[in-house]
């Protein structure tokens, strides 16, 4: 984060953000993904954690660069 130019959050707040994380509750959908590997490993782990629905994946929202909205 320190190398990011113009980032809205100072590096000093990072530890408090991690300290505030809570595990998912039993009634909450989601998955914990270890992010210490390569990008490819993290993506593969995240994809394995997604439920298999047999259908196509939903399309992600697209940011309108002109208006800044989704």
């Amino acid at each position: 984060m320190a190398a990011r130019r113009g980032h809205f959050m100072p590096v000093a707040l990072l530890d408090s953000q991690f300290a505030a994380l809570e595990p998912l509750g039993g009634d909450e959908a989601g998955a914990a993904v270890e992010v210490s590997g390569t990008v490819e490993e993290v993506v593969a782990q995240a994809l394995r954690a997604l439920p298999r629905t047999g259908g196509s994946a939903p399309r992600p929202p697209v940011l309108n660069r002109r208006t800044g909205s989704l």
Side-chain angles (χ1 to χ4, degrees):
M1 272 181 48
R4 293 181 181 176
R5 299 280 182 230
H7 196 273
F8 69 93
M9 189 173 102
V11 174
L13 293 179
L14 186 59
D15 286 339
S16 67
Q17 295 297 301
F18 282 121
L21 288 175
E22 299 178 5
L24 291 170
D27 61 340
E28 296 177 303
V33 177
E34 177 60 48
V35 296
S36 62
T38 66
V39 171
E40 292 80 10
E41 291 168 337
V42 172
V43 168
Q45 185 181 7
L47 290 174
R48 283 193 302 271
L50 293 174
R52 304 240 181 231
T53 62
S56 60
R59 296 186 63 151
V62 177
L63 176 66
N64 182 320
R65 292 183 187 267
R66 186 176 55 80
T67 65
S69 63
L70 294 178

